[in-house]
Amino acid sequence: ADWWFSLPTASAILTILYPEEFTVYDYRVHDELGLNKDLSQRAFSDALWSEYEDFKRKVQEATPVRLSLRDKDRFLIGRSMRNEVEADCQS
């Protein structure tokens, strides 16, 4: 909270430093998981941390077990990008 980072920025930094403990809070991952609640601009709080942990759990559940947490991020972001391209091609 003291650094004034939004959750997407903070989670990206933490994921680089601790790739087995954090997942990136990314809009593509958020959309791939079909989540309604956007946490990206909320101020840090215990409630936000709890919701981030729930987000991380959903990332783990929605991806192949064999993947590392960082690869789970890549998997969901890649799937989102593929879906976007497919939708563009059908337009």
Side-chain angles (χ1 to χ4, degrees), residues 36-81:
N36 295 324
K37 193 180 240 183
D38 182 9
L39 308 177
S40 64
Q41 299 303 314
R42 292 202 13 220
F44 184 79
S45 66
D46 289 342
L48 177 63
W49 183 252
S50 178
E51 290 178 81
Y52 171 77
E53 288 180 322
D54 188 48
F55 172 80
K56 177 182 168 184
R57 181 185 53 76
K58 289 175 181 174
V59 166
Q60 292 170 316
E61 291 173 353
T63 53
V65 175
R66 63 180 164 70
L67 297 178
S68 69
L69 190 53
R70 186 65 190 114
D71 285 339
K72 290 174 183 289
D73 290 337
R74 292 182 183 111
F75 177 90
L76 291 169
I77 291 168
R79 189 169 71 187
S80 171
M81 294 172 94

